[in-house]
Amino acid sequence: MKHIISLSLLLFVTATVCAAKYKIVKLSTPTIVIGGKSCMVGSVFDDTDDIKWSTDDQILCARNTNDGTYKYFAAKAFKSHNAKTAFEYLRTNKMSTRSGGFDQVLPRDPRCSISDTRIALVIGNANYAAEKSLSNPIPDAIDVSQTLSSLGFNVYVMFDAGADAMNNAIKRFAGYATQYQTALVYYAGHGSQFNGDAYLIPVDAVVETSYDVLQRQRWIATKRIVSFLNEVPTLTTRIVMLDACRTNNNLLASRGEGEESLLDTDELNEGVVFYSTKNGYEAYDEAGAMAHSPFATAVMKHIATPNLSMGDFITDVMNEVKTLTSNAPYPHPQEPRSVPTLTHRFYFNPAGAGQRPATTTSRVTPTPVRASSTTAGNSPTPSGTTSRPSSAAETELVTQGKKAMRAFDYAAAKSKFSAAASQGSAEGNYQQGLLYSNRNYDGYNREAAATYFVKAARQNHTEAMFQAGMMYLGIDNTTAKQWLQKAANAGHQQAKAQLSRFSQK
């Protein structure tokens, strides 16, 4: 018995001593309950402390005080892994092969007045199963995502994604992009150059054979991303930014110098592939609390510059990165490279539009529905449309609903939009359509989304007319064309473009 007690005591002491401590560096809400205590940014907790999530969309980013690595924790991810503590989550997520779900979705900032529709996928891989952890990718992904949201992008974010998760997410993202004009993919993490191709390294990657890399797609080829985006005909601008090493190594890349390899061959149709470093060289990873890589630092410094064209943006980022890394402790300057194929001028922030109040409404990707999605007596066609001004009460309900959406409080958003719609608000119906077409909403229902879009469209809501047309596109093209034509008659540019594509077929 004495030995058993001693052993139990030893195990308890060992577990206590070995418990990792984390310091909260970012939090989506002011406070969170961890270990029975109310914590906020700056608070420290043990990885064995229970985390009590307030909402399904609550998130936090924390720094391991022992080794300096960053971890991203999300309520949805904890729930999917049936985890209560950081230790349990990291243990079960070590070799995660998620089906492609996103850790966070940031809708475009409603204050942004940029008119073209934009979507982005941001991936930050930092904590690897068989390779050293990186300091910058998670902070980079978090802040780059927020910057893109402020510039009119609907942003889908993934952290520490395995091969299956990355492959599936890229496929889903390309599907979402069919309703947008501009698509951007931003990756931060380990990378490598192999057989002349640049590869992104998932966190569950191990030292693999060339067969694994080429046939099983356990690494993600840049050309694969390029191919998916090239196949989306609705896009007018395609952008890929890769902050990763390009060392010529057919094992996992470390952040170290390699040899010069083949020339860039990845070409987007009407787009640009922007590498953080040239072929065969490293991309630096900074140390320090919530530090950013030189490339991410430069991107975030220049991307919101008013009226800066894509060409000038690339030049400014290249010069900035080279300047930042020209002195000690860097062994040599980091030199970004780009493969541009744009034949038109693109501006991330045309004339400072990202800083002005919004004049357009945020969109969430709609999904086509069956032609029978509306009930009898509620025809999906545009006949008999009516309109009236919104009351102050309706406007306030919609405003509150939008605030709830930005906070990912979908239940509150639904309540506000429903109340506005019940009072006859066209915008309330339209926002309900957006809510039901949002795949991150637990009540996602594309038929309900179509019904609400049609209701709003029949109240002469121009954007709802366009969305209703896109919902029926490929399902009931006659109805789709009728709604698109009505939206085009009201001056909707995307509707005009879609009708033009119809006439070309």
Side-chain angles (χ1 to χ4, degrees):
M1 176 65 75
K2 180 179 180 181
H3 293 296
I4 294 175
I5 293 175
S6 298
L7 178 59
S8 299
L9 181 61
L10 176 62
L11 291 174
F12 173 77
V13 171
T14 301
T16 303
V17 172
C18 294
K21 290 186 178 296
Y22 287 93
K23 183 176 182 179
I24 300 175
V25 292
K26 278 189 179 292
L27 189 59
S28 63
T29 54
T31 61
I32 185 172
V33 176
I34 305 178
K37 301 176 182 178
S38 180
C39 297
M40 60 187 68
V41 172
S43 298
V44 176
F45 65 93
D46 291 341
D47 65 353
T48 54
D49 289 339
D50 279 7
I51 299 179
K52 302 294 185 183
W53 300 97
S54 301
T55 67
D56 286 343
D57 292 300
Q58 197 172 22
I59 62 169
L60 72 86
C61 180
R63 179 176 181 269
N64 187 312
T65 59
N66 297 326
D67 60 20
T69 60
Y70 291 90
K71 301 292 189 293
Y72 177 92
F73 303 115
K76 287 183 178 179
F78 263 56
K79 184 177 180 180
S80 67
H81 286 271
N82 195 29
K84 294 182 178 180
T85 68
F87 175 80
E88 291 176 351
Y89 172 73
L90 293 172
R91 181 184 62 190
T92 58
N93 195 45
K94 187 71 172 178
M95 299 291 285
S96 172
T97 55
R98 291 174 296 172
S99 62
F102 300 101
D103 291 310
Q104 187 179 10
V105 181
L106 296 177
R108 61 176 285 158
D109 190 315
R111 296 167 295 181
C112 178
S113 63
I114 293 173
S115 59
D116 68 297
T117 55
R118 303 173 168 196
I119 187 172
L121 170 62
V122 178
I123 301 175
N125 281 354
N127 303 291
Y128 283 80
E131 182 62 16
K132 73 175 183 178
S133 295
L134 300 172
S135 296
N136 299 157
I138 287 179
D140 288 353
I142 290 173
D143 288 342
V144 166
S145 298
Q146 293 174 341
T147 300
L148 292 174
S149 171
S150 73
L151 293 170
F153 286 85
N154 284 333
V155 189
Y156 294 84
V157 192
M158 298 186 74
F159 298 94
D160 289 339
D164 290 343
M166 288 180 69
N167 275 305
N168 290 331
I170 291 166
K171 290 179 184 177
R172 290 178 61 191
F173 177 75
Y176 291 173
T178 58
Q179 302 298 322
Y180 291 81
Q181 296 168 288
T182 299
L184 182 150
V185 176
Y186 188 101
Y187 171 81
H190 277 307
S192 186
Q193 195 84 13
F194 177 69
N195 269 15
D197 290 336
Y199 285 88
L200 316 183
I201 310 299
V203 295
D204 58 0
V206 295
V207 177
E208 302 178 6
T209 66
S210 59
Y211 175 83
D212 289 324
V213 173
L214 298 176
Q215 301 300 322
R216 297 179 184 171
Q217 298 177 339
R218 305 306 296 171
W219 294 1
I220 313 300
T222 302
K223 286 184 177 180
R224 180 172 174 79
I225 299 173
V226 167
S227 176
F228 271 114
L229 294 181
N230 280 343
E231 292 173 3
V232 182
T234 57
L235 294 175
T236 57
T237 306
R238 302 164 177 85
I239 305 164
V240 176
M241 296 188 190
L242 305 175
D243 191 4
C245 292
R246 302 178 68 193
T247 47
N248 190 13
N249 184 354
N250 52 333
L251 302 178
L252 284 177
S254 62
R255 297 243 167 176
E257 184 176 353
E259 298 177 358
E260 193 70 26
S261 107
L262 301 180
L263 296 175
D264 295 307
T265 58
D266 305 316
E267 290 190 358
L268 280 167
N269 295 333
E270 285 297 331
V272 60
V273 180
F274 196 11
Y275 297 97
S276 67
T277 188
K278 62 182 180 180
N279 279 334
Y281 283 82
E282 62 192 314
Y284 294 122
D285 187 58
E286 295 291 323
M290 293 305 290
H292 294 300
S293 73
F295 183 73
T297 298
V299 166
M300 288 187 286
K301 177 178 178 179
H302 295 286
I303 197 170
T305 302
N307 219 29
L308 186 69
S309 69
M310 173 63 79
D312 289 337
F313 164 75
I314 290 172
T315 298
D316 288 351
V317 170
M318 292 175 70
N319 289 333
E320 182 82 16
V321 172
K322 190 172 182 179
T323 298
L324 289 171
T325 58
S326 291
N327 301 307
Y330 304 105
H332 58 78
Q334 181 177 323
E335 300 180 42
R337 290 291 185 267
S338 67
V339 186
T341 60
L342 283 173
T343 59
H344 65 277
R345 291 187 181 277
F346 175 81
Y347 303 88
F348 281 107
N349 189 13
Q355 312 303 316
R356 297 201 302 264
T359 57
T360 57
T361 306
S362 172
R363 293 204 308 113
V364 180
T365 307
T367 306
V369 297
R370 295 192 301 272
S372 61
S373 65
T374 54
T375 57
N378 185 23
S379 169
T381 58
S383 59
T385 55
T386 59
S387 62
R388 65 166 179 78
S390 296
S391 69
E394 292 166 7
T395 300
E396 178 59 25
L397 285 169
V398 170
T399 298
Q400 292 176 12
K402 290 180 179 179
K403 287 182 179 178
M405 283 293 291
R406 292 195 294 274
F408 305 107
D409 187 350
Y410 298 126
K414 179 183 177 183
S415 175
K416 298 300 181 183
F417 295 148
S418 179
S422 68
Q423 295 180 23
S425 167
E427 184 66 20
N429 280 317
Y430 170 69
Q431 291 296 334
Q432 286 203 97
L434 291 181
L435 176 62
Y436 278 103
S437 66
N438 187 341
R439 289 182 177 272
N440 293 283
Y441 171 48
D442 289 339
Y444 165 78
N445 186 320
R446 54 189 181 182
E447 294 193 7
T451 299
Y452 284 113
F453 282 139
V454 168
K455 285 182 179 180
R458 289 174 65 83
Q459 293 172 284
N460 271 337
H461 192 294
T462 303
E463 184 66 25
M465 294 174 190
F466 171 72
Q467 296 285 7
M470 297 305 293
M471 278 283 184
Y472 284 95
L473 194 63
I475 308 298
D476 180 353
N477 282 344
T478 299
T479 298
K481 288 180 181 179
Q482 289 175 337
W483 279 122
L484 289 170
Q485 186 62 63
K486 194 167 182 63
N489 292 343
H492 198 287
Q493 296 302 313
Q494 286 179 270
K496 293 179 181 179
Q498 186 61 53
L499 287 171
S500 176
R501 284 190 283 272
F502 263 126
S503 65
Q504 295 172 5
K505 292 181 179 180

